[in-house]
Amino acid sequence: MNLNDNKKVTIIFAFVIIAIIGLFFGIAVGLSKKNREVTYISDSDYLYDVAIEYLKEKYTQEQNYYNQKEDYQIFFDYKGFGISQKDNIKYAYMWILNESYYVENGKLEIGSGSSMPYKIKFEDDKVVTIENPKDGGYYASSVKDMFPDDIENKILNFNLDNVNIKNKVDEHYSYLNSSD
């Protein structure tokens, strides 16, 4: 074997190694994407309301300072991005906005609120866990970890305005504006 033959064998060997590495990398990427694929279901939209009722009860109990105030109310609005199912576990992917209000000295006051994405896990149509993204610099990466690929960019670019909540608040507290 001469020197040119050794170069050819080395080059062919390098290409074969690169091809094998590429194949393994491609399989690994394909498997990781396949593990992130979800099956959406359309017969469980009621779970969005189950999640809201669960959060309303939870926040009412946690807001000890505010829930002692006159006519304390929590108002919710949400955007559902989909509900998936794997075995008997269901996940609701949502953006939830909540604001609380109360009356003090005849005036409407705002309590607390939040606007953020949620991943809510259900077993037997009952909330089991609630997951929110991390704050600050970890926000985008935690959204990508929490949500399916087809939802994560929607979440990262989403914002829910409070128009619906404002309407509910105006309706509920309309008695404050009456001249009785």
Side-chain angles (χ1 to χ4, degrees):
M1 222 186 217
N2 65 31
L3 190 56
N4 282 338
D5 289 340
N6 284 340
K7 283 184 180 180
K8 288 179 186 175
V9 168
T10 303
I11 290 172
I12 290 171
F13 183 72
F15 280 124
V16 168
I17 295 297
I18 290 171
I20 290 172
I21 291 172
L23 180 63
F24 283 124
F25 180 75
I27 290 171
V29 168
L31 286 176
S32 73
K33 288 223 181 256
K34 186 166 181 71
N35 288 338
R36 289 185 43 92
E37 288 179 7
V38 297
T39 302
Y40 293 103
I41 54 177
S42 59
D43 63 347
S44 295
D45 284 354
Y46 63 90
L47 290 177
Y48 293 133
D49 294 326
V50 170
I52 294 300
E53 286 304 312
Y54 176 89
L55 289 172
K56 186 172 187 174
E57 185 177 316
K58 178 180 187 285
Y59 291 164
T60 299
Q61 290 174 359
E62 290 176 354
Q63 298 293 324
N64 291 332
Y65 174 75
Y66 294 118
N67 66 20
Q68 303 301 316
K69 300 287 187 173
E70 180 184 343
D71 201 4
Y72 171 76
Q73 300 291 322
I74 302 176
F75 299 90
F76 286 86
D77 194 13
Y78 70 89
K79 163 74 173 146
F81 290 96
I83 298 174
S84 67
Q85 182 170 358
K86 185 173 183 179
D87 300 324
N88 67 335
I89 306 294
K90 295 177 183 174
Y91 297 93
Y93 309 102
M94 305 172 70
W95 190 285
I96 300 174
L97 168 66
N98 73 77
E99 294 178 357
S100 67
Y101 293 84
Y102 60 94
V103 175
E104 190 167 74
N105 299 322
K107 290 187 175 182
L108 183 62
E109 301 288 339
I110 189 163
S112 62
S114 66
S115 181
M116 67 180 107
Y118 286 76
K119 177 181 177 181
I120 302 175
K121 179 180 176 181
F122 297 87
E123 285 184 34
D124 299 322
D125 293 346
K126 291 182 177 45
V127 174
V128 176
T129 59
I130 297 172
E131 188 176 353
N132 298 105
K134 296 177 182 171
D135 291 336
Y138 299 106
Y139 178 78
S141 63
S142 65
V143 165
K144 290 181 180 192
D145 289 341
M146 285 173 54
F147 295 97
D149 292 342
D150 60 329
I151 294 176
E152 66 186 32
N153 286 328
K154 293 175 186 174
I155 294 288
L156 289 171
N157 296 302
F158 189 78
N159 188 27
L160 185 62
D161 64 40
N162 70 342
V163 172
N164 288 335
I165 287 181
K166 178 81 171 108
N167 291 337
K168 291 175 189 177
V169 169
D170 289 346
E171 182 180 327
H172 180 82
Y173 293 104
S174 62
Y175 67 89
L176 293 173
N177 299 326
S178 66
S179 56
D180 294 349

